[in-house]
Amino acid sequence: ANRPAFSEGEVRALAQGAFGLEGQLVPLYSERDQNFRASDDKGNDWVLKISNALEDRGLIEAQVLALKFLARTAPDLPLPRVHPGVGGQAIVQLPDAEGASHACFALSWLHGSIASDHALEAQDFRGIGAMIAKVERGMRGFFHPALAGRDLLWDIRQLPGLAGKTRHLGRLQPWADQFIARLAGEIMPRLEKLPAQVIHGDVHGHNLILGPDRKISGIIDFGDMVHGPSLLNLTNAMADFLHDAADTLAMWSELVAGYTSFRRIEPEEA
């Protein structure tokens, strides 16, 4: 809802005037925002993002600051880099015809294709697990108040709040009720005791870029970051890649092996 609808001329004026991007603009798909692939006078490609006016400004700021933080703490990782505006600011406000303000920023374009376009194999999942742990380690010291207590619908910690809606699941309702009750009564108290930090938490086949050599050339979309148990970085990926794996147990095994090659799982997390 309320997706931006700026004209090509308005976007070009923004790209040139605010970010110094003079090249061709190519529209990119987005459900909520208006995104473009743009280039600078050096031939570098960038993603120009015009955010939905309803998007929380704190969350947009958190994304940009997290990427700038990772550029310092983990400069070797293949992550988007923030393009500063011509005045040095990373986020520029663009008003629309109705007076609503849209936060705009630019990130480096990561070359490759999304992982879901490939038939992922065991060694791919091992590399993905390792990359998740590396990004997690790079974010250890980062925090932003907008991420504390964030209500993100697909955060598993929000599931108990759906207990009253299981009647819509038909014959699966008894199973769902039992699962939610166990999650709320047994698992949630344990989650609260686990090591926690800001996490990406949303690494899946459409947020992962692979190069022609099948090596990871990028992790994108930091828009679903939360502050929570760091282990959710791994477990979320184990769930999200179910659609991309021919062998679920092999996928889980390799993700865990790759993750634990860079990050020890504590006894209370097992």
Side-chain angles (χ1 to χ4, degrees), residues 8-89:
E8 181 179 348
E10 290 171 318
V11 176
R12 186 167 300 281
L14 170 72
Q16 295 176 352
F19 295 98
L21 301 175
E22 303 282 348
Q24 182 182 13
L25 291 173
V26 179
L28 302 172
Y29 172 76
S30 175
E31 291 182 357
R32 287 179 50 81
D33 306 320
Q34 196 174 5
N35 298 335
F36 296 83
R37 182 175 178 176
S39 57
D40 59 24
D41 55 3
K42 298 179 182 178
N44 300 311
D45 290 327
W46 302 87
V47 178
L48 178 62
K49 301 180 70 68
I50 304 175
S51 300
N52 193 299
L54 299 180
E55 194 72 28
D56 187 299
R57 293 295 187 269
L59 294 177
I60 296 172
E61 180 183 78
Q63 292 181 56
V64 170
L65 291 179
L67 289 170
K68 293 175 76 170
F69 185 88
L70 283 162
R72 299 191 301 272
T73 61
D76 297 331
L77 296 185
L79 303 173
R81 300 297 182 220
V82 178
H83 186 297
V86 294
Q89 73 278 34

